[in-house]
Amino acid sequence: MTRPIWIKHAAQLATLASDEKGPRTKEAMSDLGLIEDGSLWIEDGIIQAVGSTKELEKHYSERIHEAEIVDATNHLVTPGLVDPHTHVVYGGSREHEFEMRLQGATYMDIMNAGGGIHATTRMTREASEEELIEQTTCRLDSFLAHGVTTVEGKSGYGMNLETELKQLRVMKRLQEQHVIDIVPTFMGAHAVPPEYKGREDEFVDYLIHDMLPVVAEQKLAEFNDVFCEKGVYIPEQSERILEAGKRYGLIPKIHADEIEPYGGAELAAKIGAISAEHLLKASEEGIKAMAKSGTIACLLPATALYLREEAALGRKMIDEGVAVAISTDCNPGSSPTTSMPLVMNLACISMRLTPAEALTAATYNAACAINRQEQVGSLEVGKQADIVLWKTKSYQELQYLFGVNHVKSVWKKGVKVV
């Protein structure tokens, strides 16, 4: 039994609490559930009370002497950030490709030359589980230092059964070893392996009949993702893979419309995907279909910046009624960052989200995109005490001060970890 924790006198306590269930859309994305001079009471890693300092001081007057007191005067307090789209487990590095990009090589140029996903696949296949754990732990530590307390992690740098399982086992082990919660996604369809070039349908059959059953049997993933893009998987192949995953209980996600309009957003809506990712080139019809289906748009502004592409139409999506989440897309080739605060800044600057919408997209809606909204993403009674105390006085200031890590301290399940 640990001492209770009383966080008091927050300049702003952004609870993200709401009576509305499910991901937030339109005006609801601007409702942060703000409490001035806010306060939280935490016991055994769970939030027990949320309100003004005056209210909690009165309610717990006879127990205040028991508590560890955290004075949050002049600080913003928010839920722990949630990153709903990462490729955090991988071997090696690809810094040389950064220079290639600056010299004019495109994403597909690099990939077709044996770089890109294929290069990381080779290095990940060669790495041992212990090496992957060591490398990934460093990235998770960096996420935590930037206020992220939950991440989704995708496989996809194996594209054979052995390495895909290795990546997923690493996530399972790190879920037990690291304080960050890791939510696993199987993405065997991240690219077509070079050994299957020209035989793409054979690889789809292999993935469906040989890989998915084992992933499901070993309970190593909750979601199934596919890169639906010209030169990778066509919509018909993507649909087959995602529908097969549904039969094994894996919830569909989809990398969609990143490089050109390709019907990925429409497919996401058709199959009931929980989220569609990237969406830089999503069509107007696709955006409307996602709004109707309730599919969450998981937008990755750091990736667009790194690739020097126009960002996704985040403002339009919100105005059309799509629930928007944001993510780092942490990966070695197109977004080697662990800074969700930077991503929130970029969401405002490049996609015209408001500061309130950006915070919602990085907390509650991000949790919805990985089916964790009952545990994390908002500061409400009964939820995990995943909390960030920031060196800013308001959420506006957090988004305004660009490119700086403002984290003062982080609690995960009521334990101070940063």
Side-chain angles (χ1 to χ4, degrees):
M1 196 83 163
T2 58
R3 292 174 67 192
I5 299 170
W6 183 29
I7 300 176
K8 64 175 185 175
H9 292 313
Q12 281 186 347
L13 179 66
T15 68
L16 278 293
S18 172
D19 293 332
E20 185 176 324
K21 300 298 181 185
R24 312 275 159 77
T25 60
K26 291 191 172 181
E27 293 80 8
M29 283 192 66
S30 297
D31 183 3
L32 300 181
L34 288 177
I35 300 174
E36 307 291 332
D37 191 17
S39 189
L40 295 165
W41 187 276
I42 301 154
E43 295 189 52
D44 299 323
I46 302 297
I47 298 170
Q48 302 296 324
V50 184
S52 70
T53 299
K54 188 175 181 180
E55 289 170 338
L56 268 62
E57 190 170 32
K58 181 178 180 181
H59 184 78
Y60 289 100
S61 60
E62 295 182 3
R63 296 191 57 201
I64 286 174
H65 67 280
E66 301 174 27
E68 174 189 342
I69 296 175
V70 178
D71 187 351
T73 300
N74 293 325
H75 293 292
L76 167 70
V77 175
T78 73
L81 303 181
V82 177
D83 192 328
H85 176 127
T86 84
H87 302 263
V88 69
V89 179
Y90 60 85
S93 181
R94 283 159 44 197
E95 63 276 2
H96 62 285
E97 290 182 11
F98 179 62
E99 196 162 4
M100 292 173 68
R101 290 188 198 285
L102 296 177
Q103 293 169 349
T106 67
Y107 182 95
M108 295 307 293
D109 288 339
I110 292 169
M111 191 166 163
N112 291 334
I117 291 169
H118 296 313
T120 297
T121 296
R122 289 193 297 272
M123 292 183 278
T124 305
R125 286 178 176 181
E126 293 166 1
S128 68
E129 272 191 41
E130 298 307 321
E131 288 169 333
L132 290 177
I133 284 174
E134 182 179 355
Q135 292 179 41
T136 307
T137 296
C138 293
R139 295 177 201 121
L140 294 176
D141 290 346
S142 182
F143 270 117
L144 200 62
H146 286 87
V148 176
T149 53
T150 301
V151 301
E152 181 258 18
K154 303 179 191 294
S155 66
Y157 290 124
M159 291 176 280
N160 60 28
L161 181 59
E162 178 187 359
T163 312
E164 292 293 314
L165 294 179
K166 179 171 65 175
Q167 283 188 274
L168 292 168
R169 283 195 304 269
V170 165
M171 289 182 225
K172 185 174 183 179
R173 289 177 62 185
L174 284 168
Q175 170 66 16
E176 296 164 356
Q177 296 174 17
H178 203 280
V179 297
I180 283 184
D181 283 327
I182 305 170
V183 179
T185 294
F186 170 62
M187 197 179 178
H190 197 186
V192 177
E195 58 267 31
Y196 279 89
K197 189 171 178 61
R199 299 184 295 128
E200 290 80 6
D201 284 331
E202 285 184 42
F203 182 72
V204 172
D205 290 338
Y206 167 63
L207 193 151
I208 290 171
H209 299 300
D210 294 88
M211 297 173 76
L212 274 172
V214 180
V215 170
E217 181 185 357
Q218 296 187 17
K219 295 181 169 60
L220 289 173
E222 295 181 35
F223 301 94
N224 181 32
D225 201 343
V226 60
F227 194 175
C228 180
E229 195 68 60
K230 188 174 181 180
V232 193
Y233 292 94
I234 64 174
E236 292 77 11
Q237 293 167 331
S238 302
E239 185 172 359
R240 279 189 64 206
I241 292 165
L242 295 176
E243 289 293 351
K246 284 166 69 173
R247 293 194 292 272
Y248 287 102
L250 298 178
I251 300 168
K253 288 177 169 285
I254 183 170
H255 281 50
D257 303 324
E258 179 183 6
I259 298 169
E260 61 180 74
Y262 204 56
E266 291 90 332
L267 178 58
K270 176 184 176 183
I271 64 170
I274 192 170
S275 65
E277 334 280 297
H278 288 289
L279 300 171
L280 273 67
K281 310 295 184 182
S283 69
E284 188 153 344
E285 294 77 13
I287 291 170
K288 289 182 184 299
M290 286 178 59
K292 188 174 180 179
S293 69
T295 300
I296 298 166
C298 187
L299 306 182
L300 316 170
T303 309
L305 175 71
Y306 200 80
L307 296 177
R308 294 182 295 163
E309 297 284 348
E310 289 290 326
L313 299 175
R315 174 79 272 133
K316 179 177 177 60
M317 291 180 193
I318 292 173
D319 292 344
E320 290 283 353
V322 177
V324 167
I326 56 176
S327 164
T328 62
D329 188 22
C330 173
N331 76 79
S334 60
S335 188
T337 182
T338 55
S339 178
M340 278 293 280
L342 173 63
V343 168
M344 288 192 288
N345 298 147
L346 292 175
C348 297
I349 293 167
S350 66
M351 300 194 303
R352 294 178 52 222
L353 272 65
T354 67
E357 290 167 342
L359 185 55
T360 298
T363 53
Y364 186 78
N365 276 9
C368 290
I370 54 173
N371 218 17
R372 286 297 187 276
Q373 65 271 26
E374 297 300 321
Q375 293 86 38
V376 300
S378 61
L379 302 176
E380 300 181 77
V381 172
K383 286 196 173 184
Q384 287 178 195
D386 291 8
I387 299 161
V388 184
L389 193 153
W390 303 89
K391 291 180 273 190
T392 63
K393 296 185 182 71
S394 70
Y395 73 91
Q396 296 102 326
E397 189 179 12
L398 179 64
Q399 313 302 6
Y400 157 69
L401 294 168
F402 174 77
V404 180
N405 185 9
H406 299 287
V407 170
K408 181 176 174 64
S409 47
V410 179
W411 286 263
K412 180 66 180 176
K413 298 178 183 174
V415 177
K416 191 174 184 179
V417 290
V418 173

